[in-house]
């Protein structure tokens, strides 16, 4: 499976994230001869346990992130960050949980708008993170994929070089922020050097946690 970095948009101090930034980022991809390949969408659902008795609380993870990736439509992934665990299951797992009434949904968000561009051996996907049935923009993410290599370590240098080129392209547009790449420690989740969809899930879990923390911080400042 091709290597992939997941990046998130960090707004400059005193500025906010809006859809115009997403459009300008997409224009940047086209300005360096990116070929549009279509749209994409991933779905993320935060779950919490439905406890019949409080005494059973220790038997269930308090919260976990459920992930549906467009690249793996028949799979459902569960990331339990506190236990450093990511599990792959069949997509029917969501229906099973509903029928068992073991977990309920706290919040569901889509990574959508989903423009996808091909630049030689690289593919860029840019999307906005919004709650389902809402237009409240939570953030902007970008998937940066290098198609020829599946080794995280082997690809690191060329991914870093391409990221620097991409940052320079964005800087020419004087946008109010920049993309950030925070590299997770995959070994903590028992993942090897060979890239899989589980590596993608771990990266998204980290980014969504950061977005949630930023949102809480902003609300506390306003209050």
């Amino acid at each position: 499976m091709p290597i992939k970095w997941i990046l998130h948009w960090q707004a400059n101090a005193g500025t906010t994230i809006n859809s115009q930034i997403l459009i300008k980022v997409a224009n940047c991809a086209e300005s360096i001869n990116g070929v549009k390949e279509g749209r994409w969408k991933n779905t993320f659902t935060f779950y919490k346990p439905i406890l019949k008795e409080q005494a059973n609380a220790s038997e269930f993870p308090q919260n976990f992130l459920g992930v549906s990736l467009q690249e793996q439509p028949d799979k459902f992934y569960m990331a339990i960050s506190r236990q450093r665990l990511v599990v792959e299951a069949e997509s029917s797992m969501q229906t099973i949980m509903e029928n068992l009434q073991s977990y309920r949904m706290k919040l569901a968000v889509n990574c959508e708008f989903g423009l996808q561009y091909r630049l030689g051996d690289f593919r860029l996907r840019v999307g906005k993170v919004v709650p389902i049935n809402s237009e409240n923009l939570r953030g902007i993410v970008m998937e940066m994929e290098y198609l020829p290599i599946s080794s995280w370590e082997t690809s690191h240098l060329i991914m870093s070089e391409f990221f620097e080129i991409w940052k320079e392209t964005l800087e020419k547009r004087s946008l109010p922020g920049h993309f950030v790449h925070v590299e997770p420690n995959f070994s903590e989740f028992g993942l090897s050097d060979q890239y899989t969809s589980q590596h993608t899930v771990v990266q998204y879990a980290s980014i969504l946690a950061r977005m949630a923390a930023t949102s809480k911080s902003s609300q506390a400042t306003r209050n």
Side-chain angles (χ1 to χ4, degrees):
M1 182 176 181
I3 200 77
K4 188 183 296 186
W5 283 12
I6 315 297
L7 309 105
H8 70 280
W9 183 260
Q10 183 170 301
N12 292 339
T15 65
T16 58
I17 299 175
N18 58 66
S19 295
Q20 285 301 310
I21 295 173
L22 188 65
I23 294 171
K24 290 178 180 178
V25 170
N27 290 340
C28 282
E30 295 178 3
S31 74
I32 54 176
N33 300 318
V35 179
K36 189 182 292 186
E37 290 188 327
R39 293 181 176 272
W40 62 285
K41 183 173 78 171
N42 295 327
T43 301
F44 308 93
T45 307
F46 295 89
Y47 289 95
K48 67 180 304 182
I50 300 173
L51 300 175
K52 302 296 191 292
E53 297 179 12
Q54 194 61 35
N56 296 331
S58 62
E59 298 179 12
F60 297 89
Q62 284 300 301
N63 299 282
F64 76 87
L65 175 67
V67 180
S68 297
L69 300 174
Q70 181 168 302
E71 66 193 33
Q72 298 282 6
D74 297 328
K75 300 295 182 181
F76 178 71
Y77 298 89
M78 294 168 281
I80 309 171
S81 296
R82 287 186 179 181
Q83 280 80 16
R84 295 292 188 266
L85 182 66
V86 57
V87 178
E88 178 184 282
E90 298 300 317
S91 58
S92 58
M93 176 59 70
Q94 289 173 285
T95 303
I96 293 172
M97 288 193 302
E98 290 176 5
N99 291 340
L100 292 176
Q101 296 184 335
S102 54
Y103 283 86
R104 68 178 178 86
M105 181 179 72
K106 287 176 58 181
L107 174 69
V109 298
N110 284 331
C111 182
E112 57 183 23
F113 183 75
L115 293 177
Q116 179 173 285
Y117 295 91
R118 180 72 178 267
L119 297 97
D121 287 334
F122 290 88
R123 178 178 286 125
L124 295 179
R125 298 184 180 94
V126 186
K128 60 182 181 180
V129 179
V130 293
I132 292 177
N133 301 321
S134 171
E135 292 298 321
N136 182 23
L137 182 62
R138 292 292 185 92
I140 294 173
V141 298
M142 183 176 75
E143 295 188 1
M144 192 172 76
E145 188 175 32
Y146 184 55
L147 302 174
I149 296 179
S150 297
S151 166
W152 184 264
E153 289 297 326
T154 303
S155 66
H156 203 275
L157 178 59
I158 193 168
M159 291 290 278
S160 297
E161 290 175 345
F162 182 77
F163 184 35
E164 289 302 317
I165 294 171
W166 176 244
K167 285 196 295 185
E168 290 174 6
T169 303
L170 292 176
E171 287 170 0
K172 294 176 182 178
R173 300 296 179 104
S174 300
L175 297 174
H178 57 280
F179 279 105
V180 175
H181 177 241
V182 179
E183 188 170 321
N185 187 345
F186 293 120
S187 63
E188 290 184 350
F189 290 83
L191 300 178
S192 70
D193 177 64
Q194 291 298 305
Y195 197 83
T196 66
S197 292
Q198 289 171 302
H199 291 72
T200 299
V201 171
V202 169
Q203 292 186 79
Y204 268 117
S206 175
I207 285 174
L208 291 171
R210 288 174 180 273
M211 287 184 182
T214 301
S215 177
K216 288 181 180 178
S217 176
S218 297
Q219 289 175 3
T221 300
R222 287 195 297 268
N223 294 335

